Amino acid sequence: MASWGERLEGVRGVLLDISGVLYDGSEDGGVPIPGSVEAVARLKRSQLKVRFCTNDSQKSRGDLVGLLRRHGFDISEGEVTAPAPAASLILKERGLRPHLLIHDGVRSEFDQIDTSNPNCVVIADAGESFSYQNMNKAFRVLMELESPVLISLGKGRYYKETSGLMLDVGAYMKALEYACGIEAEVVGKPSPEYFQSALKEMGVEAHKAIMIGDDIVGDVGGAQRCGMRALQVRTGKFRPSDERHPDVKADGYVDNLAEAVDLLLQHADK
Amino acid sequence: MASWGERLEGVRGVLLDISGVLYDGSEDGGVPIPGSVEAVARLKRSQLKVRFCTNDSQKSRGDLVGLLRRHGFDISEGEVTAPAPAASLILKERGLRPHLLIHDGVRSEFDQIDTSNPNCVVIADAGESFSYQNMNKAFRVLMELESPVLISLGKGRYYKETSGLMLDVGAYMKALEYACGIEAEVVGKPSPEYFQSALKEMGVEAHKAIMIGDDIVGDVGGAQRCGMRALQVRTGKFRPSDERHPDVKADGYVDNLAEAVDLLLQHADK
């Protein structure tokens, strides 16, 4: 493999995944991953541009940023690309009235959206709200529509909380896709439109940007398909078999965000 | 389309789906579909061989038969092919110790099975037990296995209860398949092995047998792929669009089991 100097040459902007890279979530707020608070601070003191690109759809952007700030992270709402505000914009643009299968924590992002007489379903990482009853409700709304529209905030397979691996929205998206015989529209990683909006907001072209994430498919594969480079951290949902993934090969594997930032500050375009 | 006489020529055995053909289920036992009790009785008085082939995985075979007998159906346990007893046999043969994600009503079918230190997951139509917590438990068992084995009792998309459409096991099977990156083994319709075991138990060859069901894919398509003929009834989960299904065309569509039996008694091999 090429040297780090070659692999990181010309990088001017960094997209950071949040869960599993900055912190490991849990019901009571989670814990920062060792070294990540300082790593973010060092990155932001450098000449590199930084933006946070999350698929977290359980919390409003304000709540997520508040939580991270309490953990010591230097982060503000305007620096975060998150799927719920992106979906909210799409619903408004297309005049869609969603039935929401979402976590209560993210409901405020849809406050301005008309949800009467729904003509689509929006599914997010609803956690405990993925009950059989709620899944049936969403399913029945879709089955009553002539052309069912299902919008999924990300399509992650699973994520890691301090208590263990948790099924993510992608699994439930697949359940509804199969039951209805439809394909969902994904708002979030690895959708190219989503990465492109984050790049645009950061003001860096794809070939000068690098994604750092713990998801070999959603973060690494998705970013690479958009022309970015991507590193996988060995934290969060990382599993050793990811380094032998049949379809996706990261531009580098690092132990954690701190190591990624060490390398970037040493080799990227400064 | 050919006449009924041609379409039903030489039929000597009939496989009957249960839910949506004999009765519409519900939490309090459901209701027989008008004319079905008499239709089954007429069929059993004829020269045609009859067997019941269900994907019901919420109830033990004994409980299902007890329920149907209370509705007036002439049916005994020995006449029913059901996925839970079939799966139980497979587990014993292969020395598999399942983690069970199933409805309590069917648990007795697995009484003789060792479930300690699980090396596979069996998923059935668990109904309300398809909670987020239970799905995570099954998911974690699979993720800890080197070669995860997921056995699904059927792969139905949904079924109809008196209260409305309900997600079936297939949707949850797809969720786990996607989250784990694996493919489930299906015990139940439309698996060819399952139809073949029902035919063997009935003692009729595929080309002399006909399936009657409400599921265009699981019943009709599955039976046809095994060389049987198949009728779809316009009861249960039937939807008008089924008659324009892109991949599956039944050998006939009938309003209900009573009409199917009228036609069979008139035209089949007697």
Side-chain angles (χ1 to χ4, degrees):
Chain A
M1 195 178 245
S3 72
W4 281 109
E6 291 169 277
R7 281 183 272 166
L8 300 178
E9 194 184 342
V11 166
R12 305 193 56 180
V14 184
L15 286 185
L16 293 178
D17 180 28
I18 293 179
S19 173
V21 176
L22 267 52
Y23 83 125
D24 279 322
S26 77
E27 274 190 14
D28 55 2
V31 291
I33 289 167
S36 284
V37 169
E38 300 75 17
V40 169
R42 288 162 63 212
L43 209 48
K44 292 184 78 171
R45 281 197 304 268
S46 78
Q47 299 295 310
L48 292 166
K49 293 205 178 184
V50 182
R51 190 166 178 88
F52 302 89
C53 184
T54 183
N55 263 14
D56 189 320
S57 63
Q58 272 211 353
K59 290 179 274 298
S60 72
R61 192 156 47 167
D63 287 347
L64 177 61
V65 164
L67 172 71
L68 291 168
R69 292 183 68 88
R70 284 195 294 283
H71 283 312
F73 288 101
D74 174 12
I75 183 171
S76 63
E77 270 194 64
E79 295 172 311
V80 177
T81 300
S88 183
L89 208 64
I90 289 169
L91 294 168
K92 273 185 216 158
E93 284 169 3
R94 289 166 53 185
L96 289 169
R97 299 179 308 276
H99 171 85
L100 298 169
L101 176 48
I102 62 176
H103 197 280
D104 279 341
V106 79
R107 211 165 284 276
S108 63
E109 298 281 12
F110 299 93
D111 273 353
Q112 307 304 314
I113 303 289
D114 179 8
T115 56
S116 64
N117 188 21
N119 57 8
C120 74
V121 167
V122 169
I123 180 173
D125 173 18
E128 295 292 333
S129 294
F130 279 135
S131 65
Y132 185 60
Q133 202 178 14
N134 286 344
M135 282 290 285
N136 272 333
K137 268 189 215 163
F139 167 63
R140 290 172 185 176
V141 169
L142 287 169
M143 289 297 273
E144 274 165 22
L145 297 173
E146 204 170 325
S147 303
V149 173
L150 172 62
I151 294 176
S152 183
L153 303 200
K155 60 172 190 175
R157 293 160 57 202
Y158 58 89
Y159 55 93
K160 195 188 168 197
E161 294 225 323
T162 50
S163 58
L165 298 181
M166 313 286 279
L167 285 169
D168 199 356
V169 60
Y172 288 88
M173 174 194 87
K174 286 288 170 188
L176 290 176
E177 283 188 341
Y178 176 71
C180 302
I182 59 173
E183 198 168 330
E185 303 174 25
V186 176
V187 178
K189 300 176 282 186
S191 149
E193 295 80 7
Y194 191 72
F195 279 113
Q196 279 147 13
S197 70
L199 286 170
K200 198 174 164 190
E201 286 156 337
M202 182 163 66
V204 175
E205 294 168 279
H207 70 280
K208 292 183 181 167
I210 195 162
M211 174 81 210
I212 301 175
D214 64 335
D215 186 323
I216 185 71
V217 173
D219 293 324
V220 175
Q224 288 176 334
R225 270 203 310 281
C226 288
M228 299 170 63
R229 281 165 272 184
L231 305 181
Q232 188 181 18
V233 289
R234 296 192 187 95
T235 55
K237 81 176 82 171
F238 168 83
R239 290 158 63 93
S241 60
D242 291 349
E243 298 193 32
R244 308 181 299 273
H245 194 282
D247 305 321
V248 184
K249 184 157 189 55
D251 295 278
Y253 302 87
V254 291
D255 283 345
N256 47 43
L257 179 61
E259 189 188 351
V261 170
D262 282 346
L263 290 164
L264 279 166
L265 296 187
Q266 210 178 328
H267 299 291
D269 191 22
K270 278 164 282 187
Chain B
M1 195 177 247
S3 72
W4 279 110
E6 290 169 277
R7 281 183 273 165
L8 301 179
E9 194 183 341
V11 166
R12 305 193 57 179
V14 185
L15 285 184
L16 293 179
D17 180 30
I18 293 180
S19 173
V21 176
L22 266 52
Y23 83 126
D24 279 322
S26 77
E27 276 189 13
D28 55 2
V31 291
I33 289 168
S36 285
V37 170
E38 299 75 17
V40 169
R42 288 163 63 210
L43 208 48
K44 292 183 80 171
R45 281 197 305 268
S46 78
Q47 299 293 313
L48 293 167
K49 293 206 177 183
V50 182
R51 189 166 179 87
F52 302 89
C53 184
T54 181
N55 262 14
D56 189 318
S57 63
Q58 274 209 353
K59 289 179 275 294
S60 71
R61 192 156 47 166
D63 287 349
L64 178 61
V65 164
L67 173 70
L68 291 169
R69 292 183 68 88
R70 283 194 296 282
H71 283 313
F73 287 100
D74 173 11
I75 183 171
S76 64
E77 270 195 65
E79 295 173 311
V80 177
T81 299
S88 183
L89 208 64
I90 289 169
L91 293 168
K92 272 186 219 160
E93 283 169 2
R94 289 167 52 185
L96 290 169
R97 300 180 306 276
H99 171 86
L100 298 169
L101 177 47
I102 61 176
H103 197 280
D104 280 339
V106 80
R107 210 165 284 276
S108 62
E109 298 281 12
F110 298 92
D111 272 352
Q112 307 304 317
I113 303 289
D114 178 8
T115 56
S116 65
N117 188 24
N119 58 7
C120 76
V121 167
V122 169
I123 181 174
D125 174 17
E128 295 292 333
S129 294
F130 278 134
S131 64
Y132 186 59
Q133 203 179 11
N134 286 345
M135 282 291 285
N136 273 332
K137 268 189 216 162
F139 167 62
R140 289 173 186 175
V141 170
L142 288 169
M143 289 297 272
E144 275 164 23
L145 298 174
E146 205 169 326
S147 303
V149 173
L150 173 61
I151 294 177
S152 183
L153 303 200
K155 61 171 192 176
R157 294 159 59 200
Y158 58 89
Y159 56 92
K160 195 187 169 198
E161 295 225 323
T162 49
S163 58
L165 298 182
M166 313 287 278
L167 285 170
D168 198 356
V169 62
Y172 287 88
M173 174 195 87
K174 285 286 170 190
L176 290 176
E177 282 188 340
Y178 176 71
C180 302
I182 59 173
E183 199 168 329
E185 302 174 25
V186 176
V187 178
K189 300 176 284 186
S191 150
E193 293 81 6
Y194 192 73
F195 279 114
Q196 278 148 12
S197 70
L199 286 170
K200 199 175 163 191
E201 288 156 336
M202 182 163 66
V204 174
E205 293 167 279
H207 70 280
K208 292 183 180 167
I210 195 162
M211 174 81 210
I212 301 176
D214 64 335
D215 186 324
I216 185 71
V217 174
D219 293 323
V220 175
Q224 289 176 334
R225 271 203 311 282
C226 289
M228 299 169 65
R229 281 164 271 184
L231 304 181
Q232 189 181 19
V233 288
R234 296 192 187 94
T235 54
K237 80 175 82 171
F238 168 83
R239 290 157 62 92
S241 59
D242 291 348
E243 298 193 33
R244 307 181 301 273
H245 194 281
D247 305 322
V248 184
K249 186 156 188 56
D251 294 278
Y253 302 88
V254 290
D255 283 343
N256 48 42
L257 180 60
E259 188 187 352
V261 170
D262 282 345
L263 290 164
L264 279 165
L265 296 187
Q266 208 178 331
H267 298 290
D269 192 22
K270 277 163 284 187

